[in-house]
C-alpha cells in the first residue's frame, strides 16, 4: 500500500499545477517596428494568427493593460478569455489566456529593430496539468506565429505607404 501511495504522489507532483512548458520563436521582418506594432495591437483583426479565427474586440480597439476580451480558436469552438497583462509601446505585449480549467497560457510578443530588419519574438509558456497534452496540439501552430505576424505586417506596409488620390487633383 505504501508503494502505491508513493507512486501516486510522484505522479501528482510530476503532472501537478507546477508543470509548465516554455518555448520561444523568432522571425525577421522587413516591415518597420511601427507597422509590426500596429498589426500586433489591432485586436479586431487577428486574421494573421494561425490559431485564432475571430475576436469580440470592436474595430479600432488596441491592446491596453487590464483589457479582457475573447477569441475563437480555429481548432475548437470554445471561446477563450484573454487578459492583456503588460504593454510597452513598440516593444512588448504580454497576454494571458485561460482556455480551460487546468491550463494557463502566457504569451509575450517582443519587437526589436536590428541591422537585418525587425525581429519578432514570440514566447509561449503553458502552465497546468494539461500543458503536455495541449502542447502536443499547439506546437506546429505556435512555431508559425512569429513568421505569420511578420508576413502580415509586410503585406500591410505597402498599403500604408501607397499615396492616396486627392479629390482636387485632375487625373
Amino acid at each position: 500500500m505504501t508503494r502505491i501511495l508513493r507512486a501516486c504522489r510522484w505522479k501528482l507532483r510530476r503532472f501537478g499545477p507546477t508543470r509548465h512548458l516554455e518555448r520561444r520563436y523568432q522571425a525577421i521582418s522587413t516591415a518597420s517596428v511601427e507597422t509590426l506594432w500596429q498589426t500586433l495591437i489591432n485586436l479586431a483583426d487577428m486574421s494573421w494568427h494561425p490559431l485564432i479565427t475571430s475576436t469580440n474586440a470592436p474595430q479600432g480597439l488596441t491592446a491596453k493593460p487590464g483589457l479582457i476580451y475573447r477569441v475563437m480558436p480555429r481548432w475548437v469552438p470554445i471561446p477563450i478569455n484573454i487578459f492583456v497583462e503588460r504593454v510597452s509601446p513598440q516593444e512588448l505585449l504580454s497576454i494571458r489566456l485561460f482556455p480551460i480549467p487546468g491550463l494557463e497560457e502566457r504569451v509575450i510578443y517582443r519587437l526589436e529593430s536590428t541591422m537585418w530588419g525587425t525581429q519578432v519574438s514570440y514566447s509561449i509558456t503553458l502552465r497546468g496539468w494539461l500543458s503536455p497534452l495541449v502542447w502536443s496540439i499547439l506546437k506546429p501552430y505556435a512555431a508559425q506565429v512569429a513568421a505569420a505576424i511578420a508576413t502580415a505586417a509586410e503585406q500591410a506596409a505597402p498599403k500604408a505607404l501607397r499615396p492616396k488620390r486627392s479629390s482636387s487633383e485632375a487625373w
Side-chain angles (χ1 to χ4, degrees), residues 42-63:
N42 182 4
L43 302 178
D45 181 21
M46 298 290 288
S47 60
W48 56 268
H49 204 291
L51 294 170
I52 297 173
T53 56
S54 63
T55 100
N56 72 343
Q59 193 67 24
L61 183 66
T62 59

Side-chain angles (χ1 to χ4, degrees), residues 51 53 70-81 98-101:
L51 294 170
T53 56
R70 284 186 166 188
V71 298
M72 286 299 287
R74 291 191 193 278
W75 41 277
V76 287
I78 301 170
I80 296 175
N81 290 325
F98 304 99
I100 52 177

Side-chain angles (χ1 to χ4, degrees), residues 24-31 36 39 48-50 109-111 118-122 140-155:
R24 184 176 178 196
Y25 301 97
Q26 297 177 343
I28 298 289
S29 174
T30 58
L36 276 160
T39 303
W48 56 268
H49 204 291
Y109 297 95
R110 291 183 192 272
L111 303 178
T118 305
Q119 180 178 336
V120 180
S121 296
Y122 172 74
Y141 299 104
Q144 300 171 5
V145 173
I149 189 158
T151 304
E154 288 168 3
Q155 291 172 354

Side-chain angles (χ1 to χ4, degrees), residues 1-170:
M1 186 66 154
T2 309
R3 184 180 295 166
I4 294 171
L5 285 174
R6 277 192 228 138
C8 289
R9 281 189 204 136
W10 178 81
K11 289 217 185 249
L12 284 174
R13 265 187 262 132
R14 184 170 175 221
F15 296 110
T18 58
R19 180 92 171 141
H20 70 278
L21 296 165
E22 295 180 40
R23 296 289 186 270
R24 184 176 178 196
Y25 301 97
Q26 297 177 343
I28 298 289
S29 174
T30 58
S32 68
V33 172
E34 294 82 17
T35 305
L36 276 160
W37 183 251
Q38 289 305 315
T39 303
L40 184 61
I41 65 166
N42 182 4
L43 302 178
D45 181 21
M46 298 290 288
S47 60
W48 56 268
H49 204 291
L51 294 170
I52 297 173
T53 56
S54 63
T55 100
N56 72 343
Q59 193 67 24
L61 183 66
T62 59
K64 293 179 174 76
L67 179 69
I68 298 174
Y69 64 102
R70 284 186 166 188
V71 298
M72 286 299 287
R74 291 191 193 278
W75 41 277
V76 287
I78 301 170
I80 296 175
N81 290 325
I82 295 181
F83 173 72
V84 178
E85 200 173 43
R86 197 169 130 205
V87 178
S88 295
Q90 299 183 1
E91 288 181 29
L92 176 125
L93 173 64
S94 174
I95 60 175
R96 285 196 189 259
L97 294 86
F98 304 99
I100 52 177
L103 182 67
E104 177 187 333
E105 182 178 343
R106 183 178 189 197
V107 173
I108 299 174
Y109 297 95
R110 291 183 192 272
L111 303 178
E112 185 179 344
S113 184
T114 66
M115 289 177 52
W116 305 279
T118 305
Q119 180 178 336
V120 180
S121 296
Y122 172 74
S123 302
I124 182 170
T125 304
L126 295 175
R127 293 180 194 264
W129 62 278
L130 285 173
S131 58
L133 174 66
V134 172
W135 182 248
S136 65
I137 297 168
L138 285 180
K139 189 176 182 178
Y141 299 104
Q144 300 171 5
V145 173
I149 189 158
T151 304
E154 288 168 3
Q155 291 172 354
K159 292 176 189 172
L161 297 176
R162 195 176 297 150
K164 295 182 181 177
R165 270 190 181 171
S166 171
S167 59
S168 64
E169 293 180 31

